Amino acid sequence: MNRSLWKNTFIDNHLFKIINSNKKIINIYSRRSIIYPFFINKKVNIYNGKTFITRIITSDMIGHKFGEFALTRQLYLYKNKKKK
């Protein structure tokens, strides 16, 4: 679903300050922020509510949100019962 045209793209203000610093890995708590081109080839840790998930931003990710690349749900697999 696309964002309405009258709304601007969203990015938290503290992310602009972090980009200007020379950190090797950037911790991101704002999953709702959109990925901009100045994040390309940066290593980021995206917080999913419990742990940080490390991702390297590529050009295909531009325009998406950070939260799309850090899943918050665990995949549950049922165990097979052994036949006796």
Side-chain angles (χ1 to χ4, degrees):
M1 176 181 282
N2 293 335
R3 188 172 169 88
S4 299
L5 294 177
W6 60 271
K7 296 180 183 178
N8 292 333
T9 57
F10 179 78
I11 187 167
D12 277 338
N13 291 332
H14 72 276
L15 289 179
F16 287 115
K17 296 175 186 175
I18 292 173
I19 286 300
N20 294 334
S21 66
N22 293 328
K23 291 185 177 181
K24 291 185 179 181
I25 299 175
I26 302 168
N27 288 339
I28 294 179
Y29 290 92
S30 175
R31 296 167 43 88
R32 62 187 178 161
S33 296
I34 292 178
I35 300 173
Y36 279 96
F38 53 79
F39 283 108
I40 292 178
N41 296 329
K42 299 264 184 181
K43 197 176 218 182
V44 296
N45 286 336
I46 305 168
Y47 191 65
N48 70 353
K50 184 177 180 183
T51 59
F52 284 99
I53 298 174
T54 304
R55 298 282 183 242
I56 296 175
I57 304 299
T58 61
S59 61
D60 296 334
M61 297 179 179
I62 294 175
H64 293 273
K65 296 184 179 187
F66 285 109
E68 295 180 40
F69 304 106
L71 299 177
T72 57
R73 310 274 172 124
Q74 286 185 346
L75 182 63
Y76 184 78
L77 298 174
Y78 290 98
K79 296 178 182 176
N80 292 334
K81 293 182 180 179
K82 294 183 180 178
K83 295 181 180 180
K84 291 185 179 180

